[in-house]
């Protein structure tokens, strides 16, 4: 699945970079395209990671945390150091 989803993105990125290098595509547009391709690739990777976790026999007791609380806890521990 990763190959089928990521290969077209890699091709689009390579083509975009080539067009940018040849000045056939304005820098701003090329960078926007590359950024969007990167974002899509990250979403695919995250989905595949989630799917792997769902298939796993490991403990599945996952829950959401408030990052502010986590960061305060980490900062408090590091402050002692």
């Amino acid at each position: 699945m990763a190959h089928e989803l990521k290969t077209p993105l890699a091709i689009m990125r390579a083509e975009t970079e080539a067009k940018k290098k040849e000045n056939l595509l304005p820098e701003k547009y090329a960078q926007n395209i590359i950024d969007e391709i990167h974002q899509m690739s990250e979403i695919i990777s995250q989905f595949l990671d989630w799917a792997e976790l769902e298939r796993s026999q490991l403990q599945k007791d996952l829950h959401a945390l408030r990052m502010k609380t986590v960061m305060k806890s980490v900062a408090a521990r590091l402050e002692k150091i």
Side-chain angles (χ1 to χ4, degrees):
M1 181 174 163
H3 175 74
E4 296 300 324
L5 294 171
K6 287 192 170 188
T7 298
L9 293 176
I11 293 168
M12 289 181 350
R13 182 182 181 118
E15 288 292 326
T16 301
E17 289 173 347
K19 299 283 188 223
K20 181 176 98 173
K21 194 176 218 179
E22 297 170 10
N23 292 321
L24 297 174
L25 189 62
E27 173 76 28
K28 179 182 175 183
Y29 296 137
Q31 193 56 53
N32 287 342
I33 293 167
I34 291 168
D35 291 345
E36 289 299 320
I37 291 169
H38 177 75
Q39 181 68 21
M40 287 187 290
S41 183
E42 285 297 310
I43 290 169
I44 292 166
S45 293
Q46 290 170 1
F47 178 77
L48 293 172
D49 289 345
W50 171 78
E52 181 67 30
L53 184 62
E54 282 294 308
R55 276 198 332 248
S56 168
Q57 295 301 318
L58 299 176
Q59 184 178 1
K60 294 182 183 180
D61 295 332
L62 301 177
H63 56 279
L65 297 173
R66 294 202 181 275
M67 286 307 296
K68 184 176 181 180
T69 305
V70 173
M71 294 307 294
K72 282 183 177 181
S73 173
V74 170
R77 286 191 314 239
L78 293 176
E79 187 175 56
K80 296 175 186 175
I81 297 171

